[in-house]
């Protein structure tokens, strides 16, 4: 009788060191990968990718020329999504962003709004913050989208020129001033009708996304759409 030694060892380790759900912290059961069935059922998925007139798009109207915009989840204080974002950003679990990026990419493939995309570009971290954290969670989110949608990920197309102070605690105006003109682009040749999907982990005021979109448009003359893992309420 054949057996898989790796699966047996994995089950043995799980008994003594159970994996936790990234959203609620409960022990994951057999075949639950990163989140438990209950959390997956109760997560506030937005379905923003199915229509243009959604809250994420409205938040960006008049600030930059955005073709389409969507967010996968709604983020509220003390919620499952807040714990998920914390795990991704501060607990060294960027693979969660890639996992959810892949899931969202499968949904975007079914939408008539996100067709003809040329590349996926993540909002970059400044080099100093990247060294400190060790990874860019937005890049991982973009990788998941890229795998699902079969669209190339351009990790280094958009560059952050200077480090900025944290956006936490700043009002809306201060957030926009803090990230004004902080991005530049590599000068590459793009098709005349190039359409870039700009991605980030969380949309709050939209200041960072707007600055990134303007940087891409001014440097490359491309169309820009937006996708984020979550939108803060």
């Amino acid at each position: 009788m054949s057996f898989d030694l790796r699966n047996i060892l994995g089950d043995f380790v799980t008994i003594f060191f159970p994996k936790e759900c990234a959203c609620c912290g409960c022990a994951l059961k057999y075949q639950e990968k990163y989140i438990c069935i209950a959390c997956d059922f109760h997560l506030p998925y937005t379905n923003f990718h199915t229509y243009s007139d959604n809250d994420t798009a409205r938040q960006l109207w008049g600030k930059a020329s955005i073709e389409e915009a969507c967010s996968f989840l709604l983020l509220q204080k003390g919620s499952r999504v807040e714990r998920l974002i914390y795990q991704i950003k501060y607990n060294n679990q960027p693979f969660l962003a890639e996992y959810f990026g892949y899931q969202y990419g499968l949904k975007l493939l079914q939408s008539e709004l996100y067709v003809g995309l040329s590349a996926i570009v993540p909002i970059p971290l400044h080099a100093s913050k990247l060294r400190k954290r060790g990874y860019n969670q937005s890049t991982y989110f973009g990788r998941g989208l890229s795998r699902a949608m079969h669209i190339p990920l351009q990790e280094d197309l958009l560059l952050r020129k200077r480090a900025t102070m944290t956006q936490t605690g700043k009002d809306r105006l201060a957030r926009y001033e803090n990230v004004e003109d902080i991005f530049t682009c590599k000068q590459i040749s793009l098709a005349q009708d190039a359409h870039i999907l700009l991605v980030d982990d969380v949309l709050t005021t939209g200041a960072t996304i707007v600055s990134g979109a303007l940087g891409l448009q001014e440097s490359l003359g491309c169309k820009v759409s937006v996708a984020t893992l979550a939108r803060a309420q």
Side-chain angles (χ1 to χ4, degrees):
M1 183 175 62
S2 62
F3 59 91
D4 191 328
L5 181 59
R6 288 176 298 178
N7 286 342
I8 293 176
L9 291 175
D11 292 341
F12 179 79
V13 170
T14 300
I15 293 174
F16 295 98
F17 304 99
K19 295 179 180 179
E20 293 185 351
C21 172
C23 295
C24 72
C26 72
L28 292 176
K29 299 175 183 177
Y30 180 66
Q31 291 187 333
E32 293 178 336
K33 193 168 185 179
Y34 299 127
I35 61 172
C36 66
I37 294 175
C39 281
D40 188 37
F41 180 79
H42 289 290
L43 280 178
Y45 296 109
T46 67
N47 288 320
F48 284 175
H49 61 286
T50 62
Y51 59 104
S52 296
D53 185 8
N54 62 65
D55 289 343
T56 289
R58 287 186 174 197
Q59 192 169 334
L60 302 173
W61 285 355
K63 301 179 178 71
S65 179
I66 304 295
E67 303 295 318
E68 302 289 343
C70 60
S71 301
F72 196 19
L73 299 161
L74 295 178
L75 169 62
Q76 293 181 319
K77 189 173 179 60
S79 66
R80 290 178 171 91
V81 178
E82 184 180 54
R83 188 179 193 276
L84 171 66
I85 298 299
Y86 180 87
Q87 299 301 316
I88 291 171
K89 293 181 69 170
Y90 305 114
N91 203 24
N92 196 32
Q93 298 188 56
F95 56 85
L96 293 171
E98 184 169 353
Y99 170 77
F100 278 92
Y102 184 81
Q103 302 305 316
Y104 204 23
L106 295 178
K107 292 185 178 296
L108 295 184
L109 280 176
Q110 301 171 17
S111 173
E112 297 179 355
L113 303 177
Y114 297 88
V115 297
L117 294 169
S118 310
I120 296 171
V121 175
I123 289 289
L125 294 177
H126 187 263
S128 60
K129 182 173 285 188
L130 184 60
R131 285 193 299 270
K132 182 178 181 180
R133 182 172 295 169
Y135 58 88
N136 179 3
Q137 66 276 2
S138 297
T139 296
Y140 276 82
F141 180 57
R143 287 176 186 174
L145 289 165
S146 176
R147 284 199 299 114
M149 302 178 75
H150 306 288
I151 298 170
L153 179 69
Q154 297 280 358
E155 296 184 30
D156 300 320
L157 179 58
L158 190 63
L159 305 172
R160 191 177 288 247
K161 294 187 290 187
R162 55 183 172 83
T164 55
M165 295 183 293
T166 178
Q167 296 280 67
T168 304
K170 296 184 183 295
D171 61 26
R172 185 176 295 270
L173 177 60
R175 283 174 179 256
Y176 274 89
E177 292 175 343
N178 190 42
V179 296
E180 186 177 7
D181 193 32
I182 63 168
F183 296 111
T184 187
C185 291
K186 285 187 175 179
Q187 294 301 313
I188 63 172
S189 178
L190 289 177
Q192 189 173 2
D193 60 346
H195 186 179
I196 287 175
L197 183 65
L198 181 63
V199 302
D200 203 2
D201 56 345
V202 178
L203 179 76
T204 48
T205 63
T208 303
I209 282 287
V210 167
S211 185
L214 291 174
L216 288 169
Q217 291 165 344
E218 291 169 2
S219 296
L220 304 175
C222 59
K223 294 187 293 185
V224 176
S225 287
V226 168
T228 69
L229 174 56
R231 175 183 180 268
Q233 289 186 297

